[in-house]
Amino acid sequence: KNEVEQSPQNLTAQEGEFITINCSYSVGISALHWLQQHPGGGIVSLFMLSSGKKKHGRLIATINIQEKHSSLHITASHPRDSAVYICAVRPRDDKIIFGKGTRLHILP
Amino acid sequence: SAVISQKPSRDICQRGTSLTIQCQVDSQVTMMFWYRQQPGQSLTLIATANQGSEATYESGFVIDKFPISRPNLTFSTLTVSNMSPEDSSIYLCSVARGNTPADEQFFGPGTRLTVL
């Protein structure tokens, strides 16, 4: 049973397109993370949120705690946004659970 | 935030040998974690590295296979012992300043290991 489900698994889009990646989870959580993993393997933390919405540059993350759902949006996508985006949830009093990631490829 | 470095960044090893991966943080942190990411899979926690005591291992991981050291609050090592091709993965060090939901986790650049 996958406690964190991401969709789509793979996404290819043209430069400039608006991108949405979705994350659904089945457990009660204290926080949700969006992470970016580059081809070399290193991971960068994009957002940590527990309610509402956060924005950083062209990235926007939203979460609906009641529906157990979060979305990551990228506006005006660029080839350098190509990476794997990972959703991870922090259950209350337990360790982080990671999704399998969404592989994003932005074509120039 | 915390800046994490890992050495080596990648390695190709022979079956039966061991590799030690180092993780260095630019500031003192309470929690240090080691993860494995097998090809096409999500991150799996191997163990939590505790300063001054033995690491706490997750189900399916044992100290003999993955010995861990944490001599201080900024450094840890993970050894992958007696390697087999199934150990080919990315190994990631992660840190957090505390262990509450408010404490964000930061991740290192990873070590890409290939076992022949």
Side-chain angles (χ1 to χ4, degrees), chain A residues 37 39 42 45 90 95-96 99, chain B residues 37 42 58 104-105 109 112:
Chain A
Q37 185 171 32
S45 179
R90 180 75 180 262
K95 301 177 182 69
I96 288 182
Chain B
Q37 186 182 31
S42 55
E58 298 299 305
E104 191 169 355
Q105 263 187 252
R112 186 179 291 274

Side-chain angles (χ1 to χ4, degrees), chain A residues 31-63:
Chain A
L32 181 143
H33 300 255
W34 280 103
L35 310 168
Q36 181 190 52
Q37 185 171 32
H38 290 284
I43 289 179
V44 173
S45 179
L46 298 175
F47 295 103
M48 184 179 78
L49 62 165
S50 54
S51 66
K53 176 179 173 179
K54 285 190 176 181
K55 184 175 190 293
H56 184 248
R58 295 181 293 106
L59 301 177
I60 303 167
T62 64
I63 188 169

Side-chain angles (χ1 to χ4, degrees), chain B residues 31-80:
Chain B
M31 310 295 292
M32 293 185 80
F33 308 93
W34 285 100
Y35 289 88
R36 179 175 75 180
Q37 186 182 31
Q38 294 177 302
Q41 300 299 313
S42 55
L43 279 78
T44 301
L45 181 63
I46 299 172
T48 302
N50 304 309
Q51 196 268 331
S53 64
E54 290 218 343
T56 304
Y57 288 83
E58 298 299 305
S59 175
F61 298 97
V62 295
I63 188 171
D64 289 346
K65 176 67 176 177
F66 297 102
I68 286 171
S69 78
R70 185 159 179 207
N72 56 53
L73 293 174
T74 63
F75 186 79
S76 176
T77 67
L78 168 76
T79 298
V80 187

Side-chain angles (χ1 to χ4, degrees), chain B residues 2 4 13 15 17 20 28 30 33 36 41 45 51-53 63-64 76 82-84 89 95 97 100 107 113-115:
Chain B
I4 304 169
C13 300
R15 181 196 296 262
T17 63
T20 295
Q28 292 186 345
T30 304
F33 308 93
R36 179 175 75 180
Q41 300 299 313
L45 181 63
Q51 196 268 331
S53 64
I63 188 171
D64 289 346
S76 176
N82 189 24
M83 288 184 283
S84 67
S89 295
V95 305
R97 290 204 169 81
T100 72
F107 292 84
L113 171 62
T114 302
V115 184

